[in-house]
Amino acid sequence: MAEVKLINVWKQFGEFTAVKDMNLHVKDGEFMILLGPSGCGKTTTLRMIAGLEEPSRGQVYIGDTLVADPEKGVFVPPKDRDIAMVFQSYALYPHMTVYDNIAFPLKLRKVPKAEIDERVREVAEMLGLTELMKRKPRELSGGQRQRVALGRAIVRKPHVFLMDEPLSNLDAKLRVKMRAELKRLQKQLGVTTIYVTHDQVEAMTMGDRIAVINQGVLQQVGTPDEVYNRPANTFVAGFIGAPPMNFIDATITEDGFADFGEFRLKLLPDQVEVLRDRGLLGKEVIFGIRPEDLYDAMFAQVKIPGENMARAMVEIIENLGNEKIVHLSVGEVTFLGAFRSESRVVEGQEVDVVFDMRKIHIFEKGSGKAVF
Ligand SMILES: Nc1ncnc2c1ncn2[C@@H]1O[C@H](COP(=O)(O)OP(=O)(O)OP(=O)(O)O)[C@@H](O)[C@H]1O
Ligand SMILES: [Mg+2]
């Protein structure tokens, strides 16, 4: 097993910077997710760890071994890094059986036949492929093929798994199933795993920690709870959670309200304290609240007009069965609420909306950095 460290890692493609000064420490046995929008540098980062791409600057460590450092002229090729990769387009050998596909990396390494047999059977058992050993890839479902690709990766017992959107070719239902299986398998094997996805649900459900990346810059590294409840900035706050967090321009008044022009909400004493310390009283900020932290007043415990409530117009209702996503407006100010299904909101009518003031976030106006 091994930890993986990136220290001040940069990757340039000509003029373009794909990865900027990345510092990431993946612990031994950890399931780390690299999460971010398309083109943010996830695959590039993974490829630098794999040795398929050389960093322009910085150091990459796998365990105690420095595997890449352009300044020192160090570059360990992929085959000597003791890693296994699973990609989105996992190419199985079509003419080989499941057994031979899984056995292939061991054959390449000239592992004795008896040991190959033992390890292939062990892996097949773990992945529920025992009954399918004699089949060819075309005789398998998408999920089964995916499991063969995983089997081929784990049979070598590598120190690190690198996975690049390995589930993205599967249908929604199978993804949910494979998500759980993969997580269980990773815990069982205890192999340090770095898993790339742009799907925040996959990230939240699978990761021990999530590294959120935007435009080549690492935004925050934290547990699913941390990135969800204490996002470091508006990017992380907006990227994690669906429907996304509401952001509303506000002014913090001297008497401790968030003023939106059309209405205002009373901040809690400890929140006012923090804002005063940061010199933000009287200043413009970005106010954030997640749709699930807004309530139809009919179902709210604590409702104090002029403090945690606003009368809003119901623009559109998306009924998801278990909840209603309600598009709300107060004059020019618009936001989403995720109300419980019992809410009797009606499009075109007004509703009293309660804000859970414990759950609000305040971000600095220019930088988008979280105050809390
Ligand atoms: N070989 C290359 N030459 C030039 N630019 C590249 C090269 N490889 C990647 N890039 C650019 O670097 C940026 C990051 O690419 P990368 O593949 O790491 O993104 P990603 O986060 O994996 O995105 P996706 O979710 O779409 O797979 C992109 O803007 C991409 O166009
Ligand atoms: Mg990619």
Side-chain angles (χ1 to χ4, degrees):
M1 305 308 119
E3 51 178 27
V4 175
K5 260 187 286 189
L6 279 73
I7 301 170
N8 303 115
V9 167
W10 292 71
K11 182 65 189 179
Q12 310 271 151
F13 293 110
E15 293 286 276
F16 181 76
T17 307
V19 175
K20 288 180 198 154
D21 203 19
M22 174 91 68
N23 284 287
L24 185 64
H25 184 169
V26 184
K27 294 178 213 156
D28 187 16
E30 189 171 30
F31 200 141
M32 174 68 83
I33 307 274
L34 305 184
L35 174 71
S38 184
C40 74
K42 304 180 295 293
T43 297
T44 305
T45 303
L46 205 66
R47 287 171 60 83
M48 287 193 285
I49 299 167
L52 299 171
E53 208 78 73
E54 197 172 357
S56 309
R57 252 191 284 164
Q59 291 101 44
V60 180
Y61 283 90
I62 297 179
D64 297 327
T65 312
L66 180 63
V67 293
D69 183 349
E71 256 163 48
K72 289 200 182 123
V74 173
F75 186 76
V76 177
K79 66 175 174 48
D80 299 327
R81 290 193 183 192
D82 204 5
I83 46 159
M85 289 193 79
V86 184
F87 295 98
Q88 176 182 353
S89 50
Y90 44 89
L92 298 176
Y93 301 104
H95 57 285
M96 287 187 197
T97 61
V98 167
Y99 183 99
D100 289 331
N101 264 287
I102 298 176
F104 191 72
L106 300 180
K107 281 190 184 150
L108 269 187
R109 281 171 181 72
K110 309 248 186 313
V111 175
K113 219 168 166 193
E115 190 184 336
I116 293 183
D117 193 59
E118 188 182 323
R119 274 163 68 177
V120 171
R121 287 184 193 287
E122 185 186 56
V123 165
E125 186 64 34
M126 209 182 278
L127 291 167
L129 292 169
T130 305
E131 310 297 312
L132 306 171
M133 294 288 237
K134 292 203 180 75
R135 295 216 199 153
K136 301 272 175 67
R138 71 181 134 73
E139 298 162 324
L140 301 173
S141 72
Q144 290 165 339
R145 272 182 229 160
Q146 185 64 60
R147 271 183 275 162
V148 177
L150 280 173
R152 200 171 53 180
I154 66 182
V155 77
R156 275 178 38 215
K157 302 189 176 161
H159 278 119
V160 180
F161 283 141
L162 303 176
M163 303 194 185
D164 196 346
E165 315 228 8
L167 306 186
S168 54
N169 282 341
L170 305 179
D171 69 43
K173 218 169 165 182
L174 199 52
R175 281 177 76 141
V176 173
K177 183 159 170 268
M178 284 301 292
R179 224 153 65 191
E181 278 186 25
L182 203 53
K183 188 175 167 173
R184 183 180 50 75
L185 193 68
Q186 195 271 343
K187 286 288 161 259
Q188 192 178 338
L189 297 170
V191 177
T192 311
T193 301
I194 306 175
Y195 184 103
V196 163
T197 182
H198 60 261
D199 179 343
Q200 52 106 9
V201 176
E202 221 168 85
M204 291 293 286
T205 52
M206 294 175 82
D208 292 325
R209 286 193 301 159
I210 303 173
V212 185
I213 305 171
N214 188 33
Q215 297 186 338
V217 179
L218 186 60
Q219 307 286 316
Q220 183 174 5
V221 185
T223 63
D225 265 351
E226 283 164 354
V227 293
Y228 184 84
N229 292 314
R230 279 178 281 135
N233 56 38
T234 47
F235 178 81
V236 176
F239 198 75
I240 292 189
M245 186 183 285
N246 295 297
F247 296 118
I248 314 173
D249 286 329
T251 303
I252 304 299
T253 65
E254 300 284 346
D255 58 345
F257 283 81
D259 191 329
F260 308 102
E262 306 281 350
F263 66 104
R264 46 188 234 159
L265 295 168
K266 192 174 184 348
L267 298 162
L268 302 175
D270 57 322
Q271 294 169 341
V272 178
E273 214 45 50
V274 174
L275 291 164
R276 176 177 293 121
D277 284 352
R278 296 283 289 263
L280 287 168
L281 295 192
K283 297 280 165 38
E284 286 180 29
V285 298
I286 298 166
F287 175 98
I289 187 161
R290 295 196 183 275
E292 56 268 38
D293 297 324
L294 294 182
Y295 294 85
D296 176 342
M298 209 193 255
F299 300 99
Q301 303 288 341
V302 184
K303 34 193 162 181
I304 312 168
E307 292 200 0
N308 71 348
M309 239 168 107
R311 176 151 277 252
M313 174 58 73
V314 176
E315 303 285 352
I316 293 169
I317 301 168
E318 297 172 50
N319 191 348
L320 301 181
N322 63 334
E323 62 178 2
K324 288 175 174 157
I325 307 301
V326 185
H327 297 242
L328 299 155
S329 68
V330 182
E332 296 290 294
V333 181
T334 59
F335 44 92
L336 295 180
F339 291 173
R340 47 197 284 184
S341 56
E342 293 87 353
S343 168
R344 291 205 287 274
V345 280
V346 178
E347 287 178 2
Q349 291 190 9
E350 288 189 321
V351 61
D352 281 324
V353 179
V354 167
F355 291 68
D356 183 347
M357 296 305 287
R358 263 281 134 238
K359 299 287 180 65
I360 69 158
H361 299 264
I362 299 289
F363 304 94
E364 286 174 7
K365 182 93 177 166
S367 68
K369 272 166 75 174
V371 179
F372 56 77

